[in-house]
Amino acid sequence: MNSKLIQIAIENSDTIVQMWLEKIDSLKVDKFSSSTSDELFENTNREFVNVIFTSIKQQGSLIEVVAFSEKIITLGWPLSYITDGLQMFRRVTIDFILSNSDQVDTSFFSELLTSVDRWVEPIIHQLINEYTGSWEHILSIQRIALQELSAPLIPVTDGITIMPLIGTIDTERAKLIMENLLEGAIKHNSEVVLIDITGVPVVDTMVAHHIIQAAEAVRLIGATCILVGIRPEIAQTIVNLGIDLTNLPTKSSLKKGFTSALEITNRKIVDLKPKEDGIEEMIKSLQGE
Amino acid sequence: MSPHSCVKIRKEWDIVSARQLGREMAKKLGFSTVDQARIATAVSELARNIYLYAEEGQICFEVFETIERKGLRMGAFDTGPGITDISQVMQDGYTTSGGLGAGLPGVKRLMDEFDIQSEIGQGTQIKTVKWVR
Amino acid sequence: MSIPILKLYNYLLISIQTEIDDKTAIQFQEDLLDKIHKTGATGVVIDLTSVEIIDSFIAKVLGDVITMSDLMGAKVVLTGIQPAVAITLIDLGIHMQKVATALDLEQGLIKLYQELGV
């Protein structure tokens, strides 16, 4: 019975394809922006329906389906295009076969439904798998990228490390910051760690609490923590909220913080050539040779 | 790893074996090094409380999973004298043994969930959970 | 089980390698004070690199021994506290604010040298 139905479908594939193409055209209006050209849409539709027929002909082979799904995913078309298209195919095929059969009883009807389902279901299944697989992949990559961004640690020079923080800090991220900070300080053998909060939009009691705890932990492992990048409005909120940062060295800018970090590590920045000398030399060279 | 195991606390050295078991289970469950230390420390605090105040009791561990997450359940059970004022022992710095008074409030911060029940003359039950992040 | 205490000029060096139980901790407290008394040491470095857990009891013993050593004229520096240990101490609410710390044994010795001289 199934093979007979396959035969009918294949023999009449031209008609079914035609009916399907007419229906799928209605999808274009809702699902696609005008940026998709009519030509691309039409070609993809033809390829889509061919893939479906190839799969039916080859008794459910999914090789072409995989290749096609990759193409659609790259194009960035929505999953609903695929699922709606396949549902339409199911409906069109059933309609066609029913209207071209002489005797239609319930057993024939149920056989027909089962057969068409058997053709279409594996394709839907495969396509959804491909789609969600690609989503999950993107999501996991983004999650890793976000984690890398959320608590970066830069060893600028021997014994001094900077952690620039950008964006909102929640409890989860605060924990990550603390762990990265401590492990990084030990890994880079940092005597001083600078936490730069220039890019943190809001410092409330919770954020301040986490930063203080991180600084305390840094002190326990034997390093010094300096909080830098305190903007005027942050200083205001810190005091207005009654947050006590007296135990924590703070500096308004990274530059100042870095200078005191150098002091702590017994170093300072020296200009290799005094500026005045340079000007004198320049004047001499302009006057004479 | 059996999903449920207990350590009896009678001697001082049992505190060490309890926290070793806690750390081992946390490691197998996939907790980070920091969380392993948190769990082991919490076990140590609770085991010491049993040893100091109740003389005998046990620390039990249980791995459990829900649809969304998995975690380690850790309980401390004793049949000691019980605690008169729970809100008092949950305060930072409160101690009757000359310790730091960081034990119970500390355990609450180390773990994700914390529940304490105590009846005078009956004993104390503390149940905690740490979720795998 | 006891923790070995090594003498280096005016300093005492201790590296804690084993899991500390309560008895060992108390024993260590006595041993260290004895040794300070006998040697007249002015500086002590306690290295905790291999210590995986410090609970409130061990923290108290350590804090006490540091205060006691101070009373006897020996300054103590704790070195090599692991990140996980530092974080759990903070969670416990133990900040050890008056205790000197350093990243490792070497830095600890430098710190003592800077503050005390030889």
Side-chain angles (χ1 to χ4, degrees):
Chain A
M1 181 69 186
N2 184 31
S3 53
K4 211 178 107 196
L5 289 172
I6 291 180
Q7 213 184 338
I8 297 173
I10 292 170
E11 274 166 10
N12 297 289
S13 58
D14 287 347
T15 329
I16 294 174
V17 166
Q18 206 48 50
M19 286 162 74
W20 184 78
L21 284 175
E22 276 164 30
K23 287 230 172 185
I24 197 114
D25 223 32
S26 65
L27 276 182
K28 186 167 195 289
V29 191
D30 331 329
K31 308 274 182 196
F32 294 91
S33 58
S34 47
S35 63
T36 310
S37 73
D38 288 345
E39 199 191 342
L40 177 63
F41 189 66
E42 204 133 302
N43 287 342
T44 314
N45 285 344
R46 284 199 180 278
E47 197 181 337
F48 188 11
V49 78
N50 283 337
V51 166
I52 300 172
F53 269 108
T54 319
S55 168
I56 296 170
K57 273 180 210 162
Q58 293 173 349
Q59 309 283 332
S61 153
L62 293 171
I63 300 161
E64 302 231 352
V65 177
V66 173
F68 177 71
S69 68
E70 273 167 20
K71 203 177 279 179
I72 294 288
I73 290 168
T74 323
L75 279 172
W77 286 14
L79 177 60
S80 59
Y81 164 74
I82 304 266
T83 49
D84 288 353
L86 279 163
Q87 298 298 4
M88 269 175 197
F89 180 83
R90 195 202 309 250
R91 221 167 296 142
V92 166
T93 311
I94 290 169
D95 280 355
F96 176 83
I97 294 177
L98 278 182
S99 60
N100 286 280
S101 301
D102 320 322
Q103 43 124 338
V104 178
D105 52 19
T106 42
S107 76
F108 176 81
F109 192 67
S110 113
E111 285 271 2
L112 175 61
L113 285 182
T114 322
S115 294
V116 177
D117 273 353
R118 207 179 294 158
W119 308 339
V120 176
E121 289 299 338
I123 304 180
I124 295 187
H125 194 77
Q126 182 65 32
L127 286 170
I128 289 181
N129 270 353
E130 293 286 327
Y131 257 88
T132 50
S134 98
W135 289 334
E136 277 159 16
H137 181 62
I138 291 170
L139 203 68
S140 69
I141 288 177
Q142 284 180 340
R143 189 173 294 148
I144 292 167
L146 206 64
Q147 264 189 0
E148 283 170 353
L149 278 177
S150 70
L153 206 63
I154 311 164
V156 277
T157 167
D158 281 355
I160 302 176
T161 300
I162 299 176
M163 180 178 270
L165 296 179
I166 292 166
T168 312
I169 297 169
D170 59 3
T171 318
E172 201 60 17
R173 194 176 163 203
K175 280 185 182 161
L176 195 71
I177 288 170
M178 172 118 98
E179 285 168 27
N180 276 13
L181 198 62
L182 298 185
E183 257 142 41
I186 285 182
K187 188 175 147 207
H188 303 302
N189 200 21
S190 307
E191 279 177 65
V192 185
V193 193
L194 299 159
I195 302 181
D196 182 11
I197 58 162
T198 315
V200 179
V202 181
V203 177
D204 55 13
T205 32
M206 203 270 300
V207 173
H209 173 74
H210 285 306
I211 290 175
I212 292 169
Q213 291 214 315
E216 295 270 1
V218 167
R219 209 187 55 78
L220 280 179
I221 61 159
T224 308
C225 188
I226 304 176
L227 189 61
V228 302
I230 302 191
R231 288 172 280 125
E233 64 268 32
I234 301 283
Q236 278 173 328
T237 44
I238 286 174
V239 174
N240 287 339
L241 287 171
I243 299 166
D244 182 15
L245 287 182
T246 42
N247 283 323
L248 180 60
T250 52
K251 287 280 181 287
S252 59
S253 68
L254 182 57
K255 194 180 155 191
K256 284 183 185 157
F258 189 67
T259 314
S260 60
L262 285 173
E263 273 168 28
I264 292 173
T265 52
N266 283 320
R267 282 175 290 180
K268 65 174 180 181
I269 293 176
V270 182
D271 290 327
L272 282 179
K273 213 182 225 178
K275 270 191 192 127
E276 300 82 44
D277 288 6
I279 291 168
E280 272 171 32
E281 254 171 52
M282 192 177 75
I283 293 171
K284 264 184 205 163
S285 74
L286 286 174
Q287 284 171 338
E289 298 105 68
Chain B
M1 178 168 61
S2 69
H4 187 101
S5 37
C6 291
V7 180
K8 283 218 161 55
I9 308 292
R10 284 198 208 97
K11 302 183 299 288
E12 214 179 306
W13 190 254
D14 292 335
I15 300 173
V16 176
S17 33
R19 70 184 182 218
Q20 275 168 349
L21 179 66
R23 181 184 281 275
E24 206 176 291
M25 288 187 86
K27 201 175 197 169
K28 281 187 185 152
L29 254 172
F31 280 102
S32 69
T33 8
V34 177
D35 280 344
Q36 286 173 35
R38 284 193 171 106
I39 291 165
T41 311
V43 172
S44 194
E45 299 293 342
L46 295 183
R48 175 160 297 102
N49 279 354
I50 292 176
Y51 172 74
L52 283 179
Y53 304 111
E55 284 169 10
E56 198 175 321
Q58 54 180 349
I59 300 276
C60 290
F61 301 95
E62 195 185 345
V63 176
F64 79 117
E65 269 174 272
T66 66
I67 299 168
E68 308 112 58
R69 47 190 181 168
K70 65 182 174 177
L72 181 67
R73 198 180 265 150
M74 188 254 293
F77 309 98
D78 69 56
T79 47
I83 298 167
T84 337
D85 186 350
I86 288 179
S87 66
Q88 200 172 27
V89 299
M90 290 308 293
Q91 273 169 27
D92 273 303
Y94 176 79
T95 176
T96 55
S97 64
L100 292 172
L104 286 179
V107 170
K108 193 178 176 184
R109 283 190 293 263
L110 290 166
M111 304 296 280
D112 292 328
E113 282 170 30
F114 182 93
D115 179 55
I116 177 166
Q117 271 167 8
S118 188
E119 233 169 282
I120 305 296
Q122 297 288 311
T124 305
Q125 290 194 351
I126 296 172
K127 291 176 187 163
T128 67
V129 178
K130 188 86 189 163
W131 299 106
V132 178
R133 259 197 276 157
Chain C
M1 194 188 319
S2 73
I3 296 164
I5 302 171
L6 309 175
K7 181 179 165 297
L8 179 77
Y9 302 107
N10 280 335
Y11 300 152
L12 296 178
L13 308 181
I14 300 103
S15 170
I16 298 180
Q17 300 280 349
T18 49
E19 179 129 8
I20 329 169
D21 66 311
D22 300 7
K23 268 205 193 85
T24 316
I26 302 279
Q27 184 64 45
F28 166 68
Q29 185 170 325
E30 279 175 26
D31 289 353
L32 180 61
L33 296 177
D34 256 9
K35 197 93 175 182
I36 292 172
H37 180 68
K38 272 190 202 138
T39 59
T42 53
V44 178
V45 180
I46 304 177
D47 186 62
L48 301 169
T49 310
S50 322
V51 174
E52 291 182 331
I53 172 174
I54 296 183
D55 62 8
S56 63
F57 181 80
I58 306 288
K60 175 164 163 53
V61 174
L62 276 175
D64 286 352
V65 82
I66 290 168
T67 318
M68 292 166 186
S69 304
D70 206 33
L71 282 173
M72 296 179 66
K75 184 163 175 57
V76 181
V77 179
L78 295 183
T79 64
I81 296 181
Q82 291 301 302
V85 172
I87 293 172
T88 45
L89 281 175
I90 298 294
D91 278 348
L92 281 172
I94 299 165
H95 296 278
M96 297 192 163
Q97 243 144 14
K98 286 179 193 124
V99 179
T101 52
L103 284 173
D104 50 29
L105 188 62
E106 192 180 315
Q107 302 269 1
L109 283 171
I110 292 172
K111 197 158 197 160
L112 279 180
Y113 182 77
Q114 280 168 351
E115 290 191 21
L116 303 169
V118 182

